[in-house]
PDB file of all heavy atoms in Angstrom:
ATOM      1  N   HIS B  36     -17.292 -41.446  -4.895  1.00  0.00           N
ATOM      2  CA  HIS B  36     -18.508 -40.695  -5.405  1.00  0.00           C
ATOM      3  C   HIS B  36     -19.203 -41.535  -6.400  1.00  0.00           C
ATOM      4  O   HIS B  36     -20.488 -41.635  -6.374  1.00  0.00           O
ATOM      5  CB  HIS B  36     -18.131 -39.390  -5.952  1.00  0.00           C
ATOM      6  CG  HIS B  36     -17.543 -38.376  -5.061  1.00  0.00           C
ATOM      7  ND1 HIS B  36     -18.348 -37.527  -4.350  1.00  0.00           N
ATOM      8  CD2 HIS B  36     -16.215 -38.174  -4.557  1.00  0.00           C
ATOM      9  CE1 HIS B  36     -17.544 -36.763  -3.603  1.00  0.00           C
ATOM     10  NE2 HIS B  36     -16.287 -37.167  -3.663  1.00  0.00           N
ATOM     11  N   GLN B  37     -18.554 -42.165  -7.280  1.00  0.00           N
ATOM     12  CA  GLN B  37     -19.144 -42.972  -8.402  1.00  0.00           C
ATOM     13  C   GLN B  37     -19.718 -44.320  -7.833  1.00  0.00           C
ATOM     14  O   GLN B  37     -20.894 -44.551  -8.127  1.00  0.00           O
ATOM     15  CB  GLN B  37     -18.158 -43.146  -9.485  1.00  0.00           C
ATOM     16  CG  GLN B  37     -17.709 -41.803 -10.093  1.00  0.00           C
ATOM     17  CD  GLN B  37     -16.441 -41.784 -10.843  1.00  0.00           C
ATOM     18  OE1 GLN B  37     -15.684 -42.720 -10.674  1.00  0.00           O
ATOM     19  NE2 GLN B  37     -16.256 -40.839 -11.726  1.00  0.00           N
ATOM     20  N   ILE B  38     -18.955 -44.990  -7.024  1.00  0.00           N
ATOM     21  CA  ILE B  38     -19.366 -46.241  -6.534  1.00  0.00           C
ATOM     22  C   ILE B  38     -20.656 -46.114  -5.728  1.00  0.00           C
ATOM     23  O   ILE B  38     -21.624 -46.811  -5.886  1.00  0.00           O
ATOM     24  CB  ILE B  38     -18.260 -46.992  -5.782  1.00  0.00           C
ATOM     25  CG1 ILE B  38     -17.141 -47.392  -6.741  1.00  0.00           C
ATOM     26  CG2 ILE B  38     -18.741 -48.204  -5.002  1.00  0.00           C
ATOM     27  CD1 ILE B  38     -15.895 -47.884  -5.985  1.00  0.00           C
ATOM     28  N   GLU B  39     -20.651 -45.178  -4.831  1.00  0.00           N
ATOM     29  CA  GLU B  39     -21.830 -44.879  -4.025  1.00  0.00           C
ATOM     30  C   GLU B  39     -23.038 -44.700  -4.761  1.00  0.00           C
ATOM     31  O   GLU B  39     -24.140 -45.291  -4.554  1.00  0.00           O
ATOM     32  CB  GLU B  39     -21.666 -43.619  -3.258  1.00  0.00           C
ATOM     33  CG  GLU B  39     -21.164 -43.755  -1.772  1.00  0.00           C
ATOM     34  CD  GLU B  39     -21.078 -42.398  -1.143  1.00  0.00           C
ATOM     35  OE1 GLU B  39     -21.827 -41.414  -1.482  1.00  0.00           O
ATOM     36  OE2 GLU B  39     -20.233 -42.296  -0.152  1.00  0.00           O
ATOM     37  N   ASN B  40     -22.869 -43.928  -5.839  1.00  0.00           N
ATOM     38  CA  ASN B  40     -24.098 -43.581  -6.635  1.00  0.00           C
ATOM     39  C   ASN B  40     -24.555 -44.681  -7.524  1.00  0.00           C
ATOM     40  O   ASN B  40     -25.780 -44.902  -7.726  1.00  0.00           O
ATOM     41  CB  ASN B  40     -23.924 -42.311  -7.451  1.00  0.00           C
ATOM     42  CG  ASN B  40     -23.996 -40.974  -6.553  1.00  0.00           C
ATOM     43  OD1 ASN B  40     -25.103 -40.670  -6.307  1.00  0.00           O
ATOM     44  ND2 ASN B  40     -22.837 -40.490  -6.237  1.00  0.00           N
ATOM     45  N   LEU B  41     -23.514 -45.481  -8.007  1.00  0.00           N
ATOM     46  CA  LEU B  41     -23.891 -46.557  -8.844  1.00  0.00           C
ATOM     47  C   LEU B  41     -24.607 -47.723  -7.973  1.00  0.00           C
ATOM     48  O   LEU B  41     -25.658 -48.288  -8.373  1.00  0.00           O
ATOM     49  CB  LEU B  41     -22.565 -47.327  -9.382  1.00  0.00           C
ATOM     50  CG  LEU B  41     -21.923 -46.479 -10.566  1.00  0.00           C
ATOM     51  CD1 LEU B  41     -20.528 -47.101 -10.853  1.00  0.00           C
ATOM     52  CD2 LEU B  41     -22.835 -46.489 -11.818  1.00  0.00           C
ATOM     53  N   ALA B  42     -24.055 -47.858  -6.764  1.00  0.00           N
ATOM     54  CA  ALA B  42     -24.753 -48.833  -5.927  1.00  0.00           C
ATOM     55  C   ALA B  42     -26.163 -48.474  -5.609  1.00  0.00           C
ATOM     56  O   ALA B  42     -27.093 -49.344  -5.497  1.00  0.00           O
ATOM     57  CB  ALA B  42     -23.988 -48.908  -4.509  1.00  0.00           C
ATOM     58  N   LYS B  43     -26.345 -47.134  -5.402  1.00  0.00           N
ATOM     59  CA  LYS B  43     -27.698 -46.671  -5.064  1.00  0.00           C
ATOM     60  C   LYS B  43     -28.702 -46.952  -6.226  1.00  0.00           C
ATOM     61  O   LYS B  43     -29.811 -47.241  -5.983  1.00  0.00           O
ATOM     62  CB  LYS B  43     -27.652 -45.160  -4.849  1.00  0.00           C
ATOM     63  CG  LYS B  43     -28.429 -44.721  -3.601  1.00  0.00           C
ATOM     64  CD  LYS B  43     -28.115 -43.316  -3.125  1.00  0.00           C
ATOM     65  CE  LYS B  43     -28.326 -42.260  -4.177  1.00  0.00           C
ATOM     66  NZ  LYS B  43     -27.784 -40.945  -3.770  1.00  0.00           N
ATOM     67  N   ALA B  44     -28.272 -47.003  -7.434  1.00  0.00           N
ATOM     68  CA  ALA B  44     -29.001 -47.308  -8.642  1.00  0.00           C
ATOM     69  C   ALA B  44     -29.150 -48.789  -8.949  1.00  0.00           C
ATOM     70  O   ALA B  44     -29.608 -49.144  -9.897  1.00  0.00           O
ATOM     71  CB  ALA B  44     -28.435 -46.517  -9.826  1.00  0.00           C
ATOM     72  N   GLY B  45     -28.645 -49.569  -7.989  1.00  0.00           N
ATOM     73  CA  GLY B  45     -28.882 -51.061  -8.214  1.00  0.00           C
ATOM     74  C   GLY B  45     -27.758 -51.783  -8.878  1.00  0.00           C
ATOM     75  O   GLY B  45     -27.892 -52.862  -9.350  1.00  0.00           O
ATOM     76  N   VAL B  46     -26.647 -51.170  -9.001  1.00  0.00           N
ATOM     77  CA  VAL B  46     -25.451 -51.824  -9.710  1.00  0.00           C
ATOM     78  C   VAL B  46     -24.822 -52.757  -8.775  1.00  0.00           C
ATOM     79  O   VAL B  46     -24.623 -52.395  -7.611  1.00  0.00           O
ATOM     80  CB  VAL B  46     -24.423 -50.704 -10.280  1.00  0.00           C
ATOM     81  CG1 VAL B  46     -23.231 -51.426 -10.713  1.00  0.00           C
ATOM     82  CG2 VAL B  46     -25.010 -49.925 -11.322  1.00  0.00           C
ATOM     83  N   LYS B  47     -24.534 -54.024  -9.273  1.00  0.00           N
ATOM     84  CA  LYS B  47     -23.952 -55.019  -8.372  1.00  0.00           C
ATOM     85  C   LYS B  47     -22.497 -55.284  -8.781  1.00  0.00           C
ATOM     86  O   LYS B  47     -21.659 -55.686  -8.034  1.00  0.00           O
ATOM     87  CB  LYS B  47     -24.731 -56.256  -8.412  1.00  0.00           C
ATOM     88  CG  LYS B  47     -26.156 -56.203  -7.724  1.00  0.00           C
ATOM     89  CD  LYS B  47     -25.973 -56.066  -6.292  1.00  0.00           C
ATOM     90  CE  LYS B  47     -27.432 -55.661  -5.672  1.00  0.00           C
ATOM     91  NZ  LYS B  47     -27.260 -55.061  -4.359  1.00  0.00           N
ATOM     92  N   ASP B  48     -22.239 -55.220 -10.129  1.00  0.00           N
ATOM     93  CA  ASP B  48     -20.894 -55.483 -10.681  1.00  0.00           C
ATOM     94  C   ASP B  48     -20.331 -54.189 -11.263  1.00  0.00           C
ATOM     95  O   ASP B  48     -20.818 -53.557 -12.087  1.00  0.00           O
ATOM     96  CB  ASP B  48     -20.933 -56.486 -11.836  1.00  0.00           C
ATOM     97  CG  ASP B  48     -21.418 -57.871 -11.325  1.00  0.00           C
ATOM     98  OD1 ASP B  48     -20.488 -58.469 -10.576  1.00  0.00           O
ATOM     99  OD2 ASP B  48     -22.499 -58.391 -11.525  1.00  0.00           O
ATOM    100  N   ILE B  49     -19.107 -53.974 -10.722  1.00  0.00           N
ATOM    101  CA  ILE B  49     -18.361 -52.760 -11.194  1.00  0.00           C
ATOM    102  C   ILE B  49     -17.084 -53.290 -11.811  1.00  0.00           C
ATOM    103  O   ILE B  49     -16.287 -53.998 -11.102  1.00  0.00           O
ATOM    104  CB  ILE B  49     -18.166 -51.682 -10.132  1.00  0.00           C
ATOM    105  CG1 ILE B  49     -19.500 -51.174  -9.687  1.00  0.00           C
ATOM    106  CG2 ILE B  49     -17.257 -50.564 -10.652  1.00  0.00           C
ATOM    107  CD1 ILE B  49     -19.442 -50.234  -8.491  1.00  0.00           C
ATOM    108  N   VAL B  50     -16.706 -52.841 -13.051  1.00  0.00           N
ATOM    109  CA  VAL B  50     -15.508 -53.171 -13.637  1.00  0.00           C
ATOM    110  C   VAL B  50     -14.592 -51.934 -13.712  1.00  0.00           C
ATOM    111  O   VAL B  50     -15.173 -50.901 -14.116  1.00  0.00           O
ATOM    112  CB  VAL B  50     -15.666 -53.796 -15.032  1.00  0.00           C
ATOM    113  CG1 VAL B  50     -14.424 -54.182 -15.612  1.00  0.00           C
ATOM    114  CG2 VAL B  50     -16.662 -54.967 -14.961  1.00  0.00           C
ATOM    115  N   LEU B  51     -13.453 -51.954 -13.294  1.00  0.00           N
ATOM    116  CA  LEU B  51     -12.536 -50.853 -13.345  1.00  0.00           C
ATOM    117  C   LEU B  51     -11.601 -51.160 -14.622  1.00  0.00           C
ATOM    118  O   LEU B  51     -10.893 -52.122 -14.487  1.00  0.00           O
ATOM    119  CB  LEU B  51     -11.711 -50.593 -12.147  1.00  0.00           C
ATOM    120  CG  LEU B  51     -12.426 -50.245 -10.934  1.00  0.00           C
ATOM    121  CD1 LEU B  51     -11.349 -49.896  -9.862  1.00  0.00           C
ATOM    122  CD2 LEU B  51     -13.327 -49.084 -11.216  1.00  0.00           C
ATOM    123  N   ALA B  52     -11.643 -50.298 -15.669  1.00  0.00           N
ATOM    124  CA  ALA B  52     -10.800 -50.638 -16.795  1.00  0.00           C
ATOM    125  C   ALA B  52      -9.619 -49.720 -16.547  1.00  0.00           C
ATOM    126  O   ALA B  52      -9.552 -48.455 -16.489  1.00  0.00           O
ATOM    127  CB  ALA B  52     -11.504 -50.074 -18.076  1.00  0.00           C
ATOM    128  N   VAL B  53      -8.421 -50.456 -16.322  1.00  0.00           N
ATOM    129  CA  VAL B  53      -7.179 -49.801 -15.915  1.00  0.00           C
ATOM    130  C   VAL B  53      -6.046 -50.226 -16.843  1.00  0.00           C
ATOM    131  O   VAL B  53      -6.042 -51.292 -17.412  1.00  0.00           O
ATOM    132  CB  VAL B  53      -6.816 -50.007 -14.464  1.00  0.00           C
ATOM    133  CG1 VAL B  53      -7.741 -49.383 -13.521  1.00  0.00           C
ATOM    134  CG2 VAL B  53      -6.772 -51.548 -14.271  1.00  0.00           C
ATOM    135  N   ASN B  54      -5.005 -49.396 -16.967  1.00  0.00           N
ATOM    136  CA  ASN B  54      -3.885 -49.700 -17.785  1.00  0.00           C
ATOM    137  C   ASN B  54      -2.798 -50.435 -16.929  1.00  0.00           C
ATOM    138  O   ASN B  54      -1.908 -51.084 -17.417  1.00  0.00           O
ATOM    139  CB  ASN B  54      -3.157 -48.454 -18.290  1.00  0.00           C
ATOM    140  CG  ASN B  54      -3.950 -47.888 -19.548  1.00  0.00           C
ATOM    141  OD1 ASN B  54      -4.694 -48.645 -20.172  1.00  0.00           O
ATOM    142  ND2 ASN B  54      -3.597 -46.778 -19.821  1.00  0.00           N
ATOM    143  N   TYR B  55      -2.929 -50.160 -15.756  1.00  0.00           N
ATOM    144  CA  TYR B  55      -1.990 -50.807 -14.733  1.00  0.00           C
ATOM    145  C   TYR B  55      -2.777 -51.063 -13.460  1.00  0.00           C
ATOM    146  O   TYR B  55      -3.902 -50.531 -13.264  1.00  0.00           O
ATOM    147  CB  TYR B  55      -0.754 -50.038 -14.486  1.00  0.00           C
ATOM    148  CG  TYR B  55      -0.891 -48.765 -13.555  1.00  0.00           C
ATOM    149  CD1 TYR B  55      -0.135 -48.773 -12.356  1.00  0.00           C
ATOM    150  CD2 TYR B  55      -1.723 -47.760 -13.805  1.00  0.00           C
ATOM    151  CE1 TYR B  55      -0.154 -47.693 -11.574  1.00  0.00           C
ATOM    152  CE2 TYR B  55      -1.883 -46.748 -12.989  1.00  0.00           C
ATOM    153  CZ  TYR B  55      -1.106 -46.722 -11.864  1.00  0.00           C
ATOM    154  OH  TYR B  55      -1.241 -45.601 -11.079  1.00  0.00           O
ATOM    155  N   ARG B  56      -2.186 -51.721 -12.498  1.00  0.00           N
ATOM    156  CA  ARG B  56      -3.048 -52.305 -11.453  1.00  0.00           C
ATOM    157  C   ARG B  56      -2.247 -51.999 -10.075  1.00  0.00           C
ATOM    158  O   ARG B  56      -1.616 -52.771  -9.592  1.00  0.00           O
ATOM    159  CB  ARG B  56      -3.290 -53.802 -11.564  1.00  0.00           C
ATOM    160  CG  ARG B  56      -4.100 -54.444 -10.560  1.00  0.00           C
ATOM    161  CD  ARG B  56      -4.041 -55.890 -10.804  1.00  0.00           C
ATOM    162  NE  ARG B  56      -4.475 -56.673  -9.677  1.00  0.00           N
ATOM    163  CZ  ARG B  56      -5.637 -57.485  -9.741  1.00  0.00           C
ATOM    164  NH1 ARG B  56      -6.338 -57.512 -10.794  1.00  0.00           N
ATOM    165  NH2 ARG B  56      -5.943 -58.073  -8.588  1.00  0.00           N
ATOM    166  N   PRO B  57      -2.568 -50.778  -9.613  1.00  0.00           N
ATOM    167  CA  PRO B  57      -1.758 -50.372  -8.352  1.00  0.00           C
ATOM    168  C   PRO B  57      -2.412 -51.142  -7.223  1.00  0.00           C
ATOM    169  O   PRO B  57      -3.552 -51.199  -7.022  1.00  0.00           O
ATOM    170  CB  PRO B  57      -2.004 -48.930  -8.221  1.00  0.00           C
ATOM    171  CG  PRO B  57      -3.078 -48.582  -9.180  1.00  0.00           C
ATOM    172  CD  PRO B  57      -3.352 -49.701 -10.121  1.00  0.00           C
ATOM    173  N   GLU B  58      -1.500 -51.756  -6.446  1.00  0.00           N
ATOM    174  CA  GLU B  58      -2.000 -52.712  -5.334  1.00  0.00           C
ATOM    175  C   GLU B  58      -2.851 -51.933  -4.285  1.00  0.00           C
ATOM    176  O   GLU B  58      -3.803 -52.376  -3.791  1.00  0.00           O
ATOM    177  CB  GLU B  58      -0.816 -53.323  -4.699  1.00  0.00           C
ATOM    178  CG  GLU B  58      -0.085 -54.289  -5.648  1.00  0.00           C
ATOM    179  CD  GLU B  58      -1.023 -55.209  -6.359  1.00  0.00           C
ATOM    180  OE1 GLU B  58      -1.875 -55.883  -5.719  1.00  0.00           O
ATOM    181  OE2 GLU B  58      -0.880 -55.318  -7.608  1.00  0.00           O
TER     182      GLU B  58
END
Side-chain angles (χ1 to χ4, degrees):
Chain B
H36 289 271
Q37 296 163 338
I38 291 175
E39 259 183 32
N40 283 286
L41 288 169
K43 225 164 59 185
V46 170
K47 293 291 172 202
D48 287 293
I49 297 174
V50 181
L51 296 188
V53 291
N54 281 344
Y55 78 119
R56 182 188 163 112
E58 295 315 309

